[in-house]
Amino acid sequence: MVYIGICDDDRYFMDYIGRELERILKKKNIDAKIYKFESGMDLLEAYDNEDKPFDIIFLDIGMPRLDGLEVAEIIRKKDEETLLIFLTSMEEEVYKAFKYNTFRFIRKTHINKELKEALESSIEKITDEKHIFKTLNGDLSIYTSDILYFEFIDRNVYIKTFDTKYKTTIRRFKDIEDKFTSKGFILIYRGCMVNINYIKSIGNLDITLDNGEKLPVSRYRMEEVKKSFIKVARRG
């Protein structure tokens, strides 16, 4: 699931963007939840209970009270990971936003051309980024696309790649679930999350991965695993 926020004081324009995002995501069979905010203050309230409530934020620069740049500055103090995509009709404001680690700019006058590229690039970015994990042998730096699955054994999270299995110092599997559910991973049983892109085939109560390895699937998770597998197959 990808979580997207849209913040723009122009309700009509915001609704239009929302519809376009839904259309693009549906065509690509990507599950997403879209939240709309008519002011920067409303958007910032979402950070009251979570450090990173969104994977992607489409943020208007020109808003009353708190403008988009002021909102971005506050967000970056709490959340350095969310992709910020600025919406603007004032191209000269673009240069002021570089310091907020901006992912894309969309000119409102070119919304039909630039929105699709920005969304597709951001989805690609969040599903294949580099992560750093603590292991017994030091820090492990690894791309999402290199991970076959995560497994929870004896109160430790293990990371399985095509070549190696790493033991991390992570003691809570929920931390992995919270972070990687939106990055193309699915829970196949309590304590194991698999990269959907590497599921080769599905049996009665198991799956076979691209490396030939078989993993069991909980009967309560099988339907969801099948749905996700079919979505990826359609995309490919």
Side-chain angles (χ1 to χ4, degrees):
M1 184 69 70
V2 179
Y3 294 90
I4 299 174
I6 309 172
C7 185
D8 196 307
D9 62 314
D10 184 337
R11 183 75 198 188
Y12 176 82
F13 186 76
M14 182 166 59
D15 287 343
Y16 172 76
I17 292 175
R19 289 193 300 271
E20 284 298 296
L21 293 178
E22 288 173 353
R23 181 183 64 80
I24 297 167
L25 291 164
K26 184 177 181 180
K27 192 172 182 180
K28 291 186 168 294
N29 292 299
I30 296 172
D31 290 328
K33 286 188 177 180
I34 298 174
Y35 300 85
K36 300 174 185 177
F37 306 93
E38 292 188 55
S39 74
M41 294 298 294
D42 291 341
L43 172 60
L44 291 174
E45 285 181 5
Y47 280 87
D48 288 346
N49 299 317
E50 283 190 63
D51 292 332
K52 184 179 176 290
F54 307 107
D55 298 299
I56 307 164
I57 296 176
F58 291 85
L59 182 58
D60 183 25
I61 290 181
M63 295 187 293
R65 295 185 64 191
L66 276 179
D67 66 31
L69 299 179
E70 292 172 308
V71 173
E73 185 168 356
I74 296 170
I75 287 175
R76 281 297 181 237
K77 290 177 180 177
K78 301 180 178 181
D79 172 11
E80 296 181 357
E81 294 184 10
T82 293
L83 300 184
L84 293 181
I85 299 175
F86 282 103
L87 308 165
T88 182
S89 53
M90 303 174 290
E91 293 188 33
E92 66 275 10
E93 295 293 316
V94 163
Y95 301 101
K96 298 178 182 179
F98 284 136
K99 65 179 180 179
Y100 303 117
N101 189 19
T102 305
F103 184 70
R104 284 288 189 281
F105 299 97
I106 295 177
R107 297 168 293 178
K108 289 189 174 183
T109 53
H110 293 69
I111 189 73
N112 292 328
K113 180 181 179 181
E114 297 177 354
L115 182 64
K116 184 173 184 290
E117 189 280 331
L119 177 62
E120 290 177 346
S121 295
S122 60
I123 294 294
E124 184 177 340
K125 172 75 174 176
I126 64 177
T127 54
D128 193 17
E129 58 186 319
K130 184 173 280 189
H131 305 275
I132 297 176
F133 299 93
K134 298 287 185 183
T135 75
L136 298 178
N137 298 315
D139 288 348
L140 169 68
S141 180
I142 189 169
Y143 283 101
T144 306
S145 58
D146 291 330
I147 302 171
L148 278 172
Y149 60 86
F150 296 97
E151 195 171 20
F152 195 55
I153 304 173
D154 295 331
R155 297 185 180 180
N156 279 99
V157 173
Y158 287 76
I159 300 171
K160 181 68 169 69
T161 67
F162 278 91
D163 303 316
T164 312
K165 194 169 191 174
Y166 301 94
K167 182 180 181 180
T168 75
T169 59
I170 302 170
R171 309 286 287 182
R172 290 198 337 149
F173 197 70
K174 189 175 186 305
D175 293 340
I176 296 296
E177 290 183 45
D178 291 344
K179 187 165 187 175
F180 286 90
T181 297
S182 65
K183 302 182 190 301
F185 286 75
I186 188 165
L187 193 70
I188 61 170
Y189 62 83
R190 188 177 180 183
C192 187
M193 280 191 87
V194 172
N195 190 327
I196 302 168
N197 295 292
Y198 296 135
I199 298 177
K200 184 177 182 180
S201 61
I202 298 180
N204 289 330
L205 283 175
D206 59 41
I207 56 173
T208 301
L209 303 181
D210 284 350
N211 66 341
E213 189 172 356
K214 280 192 175 184
L215 296 174
V217 180
S218 162
R219 68 181 62 194
Y220 303 107
R221 298 294 306 161
M222 182 55 80
E223 190 63 31
E224 194 64 32
V225 171
K226 285 181 178 178
K227 287 179 181 178
S228 297
F229 177 73
I230 289 170
K231 283 184 179 181
V232 170
R234 284 174 179 166
R235 268 185 249 164

